[in-house]
Amino acid sequence: MQPYIFPYIGYFQLINAVDKFIIYDDVNYINKGWINRNRILVNGKDSLFTIPLKEASQNKLINEIVVNWDESWKSKFLKTIEQSYKKAPFYLDVLPLIEKTISINHTTISEVITLNLKLVNEYLDINTEIINSSSIYNNTHLKAQDRIIDICLQEKATTYINPIGGLELYDKSVFKNQDMALFFIKSKACTYKQFKNEFVPWLSIIDVLMFCSKTEVKEYLNNFELV
């Protein structure tokens, strides 16, 4: 999967479902995608936050793009989190995850997200091994499905799981010819109480962790089907 900052619960369902999770960070950055943006609850409605980047471009790889935050941005973001979630039941437990994530300076968005995913995994007792594709596979000359299969072969994988959006991109028969099973993870609805507001689904994992106990979140991690 491409790296996303504080991604939604389905991303962590995928991490939890596998033995090894590959952060696909040596592919081109996508403008206005979810790499450095996500949604939280502000005044009962979904609100977009964006990690500022330096000279971001779709002509650069994700692991080449540097974050461009400063103390004023960090202060404003943490203030928004405080105003939005201070009365949430698990605010004090989750705030350190956010503070640690934005504490690194002068680094790439890939490194920030990798740290963020590991912090959340540790909080939820997810033990899946995480690897950045840029660090090991040396196969950027391959594209799309061919590159995914090459990564799986290098890992001697017997099963590859992709988000449901990959249904139109990947062919089960091609994977089968390489003695690999291909599955797609389909998240089921995860509904929880967000103060007294009408529920807003599929927000950042920040929202889930603020309102739900670790036990509840762990139950949500298994709330999917493989197709």
Side-chain angles (χ1 to χ4, degrees):
M1 274 289 288
Q2 291 186 8
Y4 299 152
I5 191 68
F6 289 110
Y8 83 124
I9 187 69
Y11 198 101
F12 289 96
Q13 289 174 338
L14 179 56
I15 294 176
N16 190 55
V18 298
D19 301 305
K20 187 173 290 188
F21 184 81
I22 312 301
I23 297 177
Y24 208 32
D25 67 341
D26 50 356
V27 293
N28 287 79
Y29 173 79
I30 300 174
N31 287 325
K32 296 183 179 180
W34 295 105
I35 295 168
N36 63 311
R37 310 192 309 164
N38 220 298
R39 301 181 305 140
I40 56 175
L41 194 70
V42 177
N43 297 322
K45 298 181 180 179
D46 67 306
S47 177
L48 192 71
F49 70 85
T50 303
I51 302 290
L53 304 176
K54 185 177 181 180
E55 300 177 356
S57 167
Q58 296 192 167
N59 295 320
K60 293 182 179 180
L61 302 182
I62 296 170
N63 67 326
E64 295 174 335
I65 296 179
V66 176
V67 295
N68 194 35
W69 51 36
D70 55 27
E71 292 307 315
S72 63
W73 181 91
K74 293 179 182 181
S75 177
K76 183 179 178 180
F77 180 60
L78 290 175
K79 189 66 176 177
T80 299
I81 293 294
E82 180 184 10
Q83 292 173 339
S84 301
Y85 292 108
K86 188 173 183 179
K87 294 183 180 179
F90 301 98
Y91 171 77
L92 293 178
D93 296 325
V94 178
L95 182 61
L97 302 179
I98 300 171
E99 292 174 330
K100 289 178 183 178
T101 296
I102 66 174
S103 67
I104 297 182
N105 292 311
H106 309 299
T107 190
T108 66
I109 187 62
S110 175
E111 291 170 324
V112 171
I113 295 173
T114 299
L115 169 67
N116 174 240
L117 295 178
K118 290 181 177 179
L119 287 171
V120 176
N121 285 352
E122 182 179 4
Y123 179 80
L124 294 174
D125 300 317
I126 297 174
N127 298 315
T128 302
E129 183 179 358
I130 290 183
I131 294 177
N132 295 75
S133 59
S134 59
S135 68
I136 186 170
Y137 301 110
N138 298 316
N139 59 2
T140 53
H141 60 286
L142 299 174
K143 302 299 180 184
Q145 182 171 257
D146 291 338
R147 189 173 180 202
I148 299 299
I149 288 176
D150 184 69
I151 290 174
C152 290
L153 289 173
Q154 290 191 48
E155 290 290 350
K156 297 180 172 57
T158 57
T159 303
Y160 173 62
I161 303 177
N162 193 261
I164 194 69
L167 272 169
E168 299 178 358
L169 301 175
Y170 304 116
D171 187 334
K172 288 195 174 191
S173 64
V174 176
F175 280 78
K176 187 176 181 180
N177 288 338
Q178 297 289 345
D179 296 320
M180 285 183 283
L182 169 62
F183 292 101
F184 301 95
I185 191 167
K186 184 177 182 181
S187 297
K188 299 179 182 179
C190 298
T191 305
Y192 49 91
K193 187 176 180 180
Q194 296 167 325
F195 299 126
K196 296 181 179 180
N197 303 304
E198 181 178 348
F199 182 69
V200 181
W202 308 124
L203 297 181
S204 163
I205 192 66
I206 291 174
D207 192 78
V208 181
L209 297 180
M210 288 288 187
F211 290 113
C212 303
S213 68
K214 288 185 183 182
T215 300
E216 290 171 317
V217 179
K218 289 178 182 180
E219 291 177 358
Y220 293 148
L221 290 177
N222 295 311
N223 196 26
F224 65 85
E225 62 178 317
L226 294 179
V227 297

